[in-house]
Amino acid sequence: MSTSSVERTTEFAPAVASFLATPVHKSFAGGRWVEAADGQTFDVLDPGSGNKIATVTSMKKADVDKVVDAAQDAFNNSGWATMQVSERAACLHRIADAVEKRIHEFAQIESLDCGKIYAQAIADIQNFIDTFRYFADLSQAVNYRQVIAVKHHEAWVARHAWGPCGFIIPWNFPFLLTGWGLAPALAAGNTCVLKPAEDTPLSALYLCRVIQEQELLPAGVLNVVTGLGETAGAAVSQNPKFRRMSFTGSPEVGRLVAEACGRNLVPVKCELGGKGAAVVFNDVDIAETADKLVQAITFHTGQVCCDATRWLIQRDIYDDFVDECITRMKSVQIGYQFDKDAQMGPLVNAKQRARVLGYLQKGVADGADLILEGGAAQITGKNGFYVKPALLAGSLNNVAAREEIFGPVAYLAPFTTEEEGIRLANDTEYGLGNSVWSRDLQRCARVAESFRAGNGWINAHNVIVHGVPYAGVGKSGMGGGVVSPDTLNDYLRPISVVRPL
């Protein structure tokens, strides 16, 4: 396994350097920067070096409740909810333009904060920009008053904003997922309270700084609360004044959020974990397919919920395919996220590294063959959270084949027939995204439609396109999808109006 130890000299943009020099990064509420009432803070680390990069205020329940009140006040009094749709859309376009002008600033912050390879961070910022533009345009094409043809009555459905909406965002795609959450809610006229993960709050706070400096939104329309999951995150999920809630993260925490929302009868959208399968048939180009799957499992160090982590290979090419994957995974260059030659950076924190290494041990103890060892990786001059990619093989009843690892670890198993491949792919409690690989496109379509998952991809994996619904089933989620017209409708409250004739 090769590692990169030569760090590219990174000179942060002046605006980024100034932002990072902030003594304490406060939360943003009602258009102002606010601290926790008790003055508590926490530190944010660079996953690549292990060094502290920021100190952030740690909000508690009373603090969060005040922020929600600010969002409610903005919904009632700022004019955002009653603004012309075209005017709101123009605001979203201006936000997208402002982020685009500072794309390298946002990417530097995102890369530093979550350990994402810099080029991948650039792509995430671009996705945020594209998401805001997509929903700004879509909002102007929606029919907000739809006539219904029924006998003896005049009837129609009108659609309005719901009110304050809550968002709890994870650490693996902080800014991209901020866009996925905020853009449709804002486009529909709602106000928002966003709680980023404690590991990665900086890009959301930088967004607030840009919006405040350029006066891109009325005060209180966008609010960001920072804090720990068990305090600030719990307070967001438990607040009864929200009208919609969105959570992205693990099934374990998702259950807690859904339970809290259920007690308040607040509709909740949960986008949770995954244990995706790649079903590979014997007519593929082995080298090309192996390369794509290796790139998928090592992208952002495997910290991707919709990743292909179970590779099901038709038996007569299994050995050749495994050999090709081992060769390619051994050549992956591990390094600091700003190293120009690095292909895979660190995991987000020490806890996540321990989780990944622990699953390798548990998988072997449960009978799996460790066909590519993996383990901790050392980068000269860096005390970050690095691991090597690994491959396991054996029974799919193995703990490492059934539970989400969230690291650069794939589990391989052979299959014989198309029916067996489908059955093995569907034999999981998760159901986010699976893929099928074959030159026979009719077979691909047949298999993809047979997946018990929210998404079926053909000769590719992790294909998420604006305009196409993306959601999960089972332990992978509930409550609707993202990045599609259905998402915008989720943030519009329908009311039926009827007059007897």
Side-chain angles (χ1 to χ4, degrees):
M1 182 64 56
S2 56
T3 59
S4 171
S5 61
V6 180
E7 181 181 345
R8 183 180 69 190
T9 300
T10 302
E11 293 187 7
F12 290 117
V16 173
S18 174
F19 175 73
L20 294 174
T22 304
V24 176
H25 292 266
K26 301 176 183 179
S27 291
F28 189 70
R32 300 181 298 110
W33 297 99
V34 297
E35 296 181 277
D38 62 5
Q40 292 295 304
T41 62
F42 61 93
D43 291 337
V44 176
L45 305 183
D46 168 7
S49 69
N51 297 330
K52 186 182 87 168
I53 55 175
T55 299
V56 181
T57 192
S58 185
M59 306 290 270
K60 307 301 190 300
K61 184 179 185 303
D63 305 309
V64 171
D65 289 346
K66 290 180 181 179
V67 178
V68 180
D69 289 342
Q72 181 68 68
D73 181 68
F75 182 77
N76 294 338
N77 301 310
S78 72
W80 180 254
T82 56
M83 189 181 291
Q84 289 291 325
V85 173
S86 59
E87 189 176 349
R88 274 203 308 266
C91 289
L92 266 64
H93 273 295
R94 285 194 286 271
I95 292 173
D97 292 344
V99 173
E100 187 172 50
K101 288 178 182 177
R102 300 182 177 218
I103 189 169
H104 291 286
E105 296 174 13
F106 278 96
Q108 286 179 352
I109 292 170
E110 193 79 337
S111 182
L112 179 68
D113 201 16
C114 69
K116 192 181 292 279
I117 296 294
Y118 182 72
Q120 297 172 8
I122 287 283
D124 284 5
I125 310 306
Q126 186 62 54
N127 190 285
F128 174 99
I129 295 164
D130 295 342
T131 300
F132 262 67
R133 288 174 174 161
Y134 169 75
F135 282 109
D137 293 341
L138 181 64
S139 68
Q140 298 177 82
V142 169
N143 186 353
Y144 292 88
R145 186 178 185 277
Q146 184 177 3
V147 174
I148 304 174
V150 291
K151 290 182 178 180
H152 312 305
H153 295 82
E154 180 186 22
W156 68 92
V157 172
R159 292 178 172 85
H160 308 285
W162 282 91
C165 299
F167 300 88
I168 300 175
I169 302 296
W171 44 256
N172 58 337
F173 289 86
F175 202 62
L176 180 151
L177 293 174
T178 290
W180 285 14
L182 295 182
L186 292 173
N190 301 282
T191 56
C192 300
V193 176
L194 183 137
K195 194 278 176 190
E198 57 259 37
D199 290 295
T200 55
L202 298 184
S203 57
L205 294 175
Y206 195 63
L207 175 66
C208 293
R209 174 176 287 199
V210 170
I211 286 174
Q212 182 190 47
E213 289 176 349
Q214 301 186 25
E215 298 181 347
L216 298 174
L217 289 173
V221 170
L222 171 60
N223 310 273
V224 172
V225 297
T226 57
L228 306 182
E230 58 267 28
T231 51
V236 169
S237 67
Q238 294 166 5
N239 191 290
K241 294 183 181 179
F242 283 118
R243 292 296 171 259
R244 309 291 291 183
M245 181 67 64
S246 176
F247 170 81
T248 306
S250 71
E252 293 76 20
V253 179
R255 287 192 181 97
L256 298 176
V257 172
E259 181 181 346
C261 290
R263 285 196 297 269
N264 293 324
L265 299 179
V266 174
V268 59
K269 179 198 304 287
C270 289
E271 202 268 282
L272 307 176
K275 198 67 180 176
V279 181
V280 181
F281 286 92
N282 59 7
D283 61 344
V284 299
D285 182 308
I286 291 177
E288 178 183 3
T289 304
D291 180 61
K292 289 181 178 179
L293 288 177
V294 168
Q295 288 187 47
I297 197 62
T298 57
F299 175 76
H300 196 26
T301 321
Q303 299 168 120
V304 184
C305 58
C306 55
D307 216 341
T309 56
R310 295 177 298 140
W311 299 353
L312 310 176
I313 317 301
Q314 200 154 30
R315 193 174 298 275
D316 45 0
I317 64 167
Y318 180 83
D319 291 339
D320 291 340
F321 194 87
V322 169
D323 290 343
E324 186 69 28
C325 290
I326 291 173
T327 299
R328 291 181 179 275
M329 290 185 85
K330 284 182 176 180
S331 70
V332 172
Q333 190 85 352
I334 305 169
Y336 188 58
Q337 59 263 35
F338 288 106
D339 288 356
K340 61 182 178 63
D341 296 323
Q343 296 170 300
M344 192 176 85
L347 294 166
V348 72
N349 55 31
K351 180 181 178 181
Q352 189 62 22
R353 181 174 60 182
R355 175 186 175 91
V356 172
L357 298 179
Y359 265 106
L360 290 176
Q361 295 175 352
K362 289 191 289 186
V364 172
D366 200 26
D369 295 323
L370 190 58
I371 57 178
L372 181 63
E373 185 175 2
Q378 302 299 321
I379 305 300
T380 303
K382 298 296 178 186
N383 192 29
F385 313 116
Y386 299 93
V387 297
K388 304 172 186 176
L391 293 174
L392 295 164
S395 168
L396 290 173
N397 290 321
N398 188 280
V399 62
R402 305 204 71 81
E403 298 182 8
E404 187 176 38
I405 298 174
F406 225 58
V409 180
Y411 199 103
L412 284 73
F415 72 92
T416 303
T417 66
E418 178 180 314
E419 292 74 20
E420 184 186 17
I422 294 170
R423 178 179 61 79
L424 293 176
N426 289 338
D427 186 17
T428 175
E429 293 180 299
Y430 292 95
L432 190 50
N434 296 330
S435 57
V436 53
W437 304 75
S438 172
R439 288 190 172 95
D440 184 342
L441 295 183
Q442 289 187 337
R443 173 166 61 186
C444 285
R446 188 169 59 243
V447 172
E449 289 185 5
S450 299
F451 288 143
R452 192 159 54 243
N455 307 277
W457 297 309
I458 294 174
N459 292 328
H461 206 93
N462 296 342
V463 185
I464 302 171
V465 182
H466 290 95
V468 179
Y470 168 83
V473 300
K475 284 178 67 175
S476 290
M478 66 175 194
V482 294
V483 301
S484 74
D486 293 346
T487 316
L488 183 60
N489 286 334
D490 283 343
Y491 292 103
L492 289 168
R493 173 180 59 84
I495 178 171
S496 298
V497 181
V498 183
R499 180 178 72 92
L501 298 177

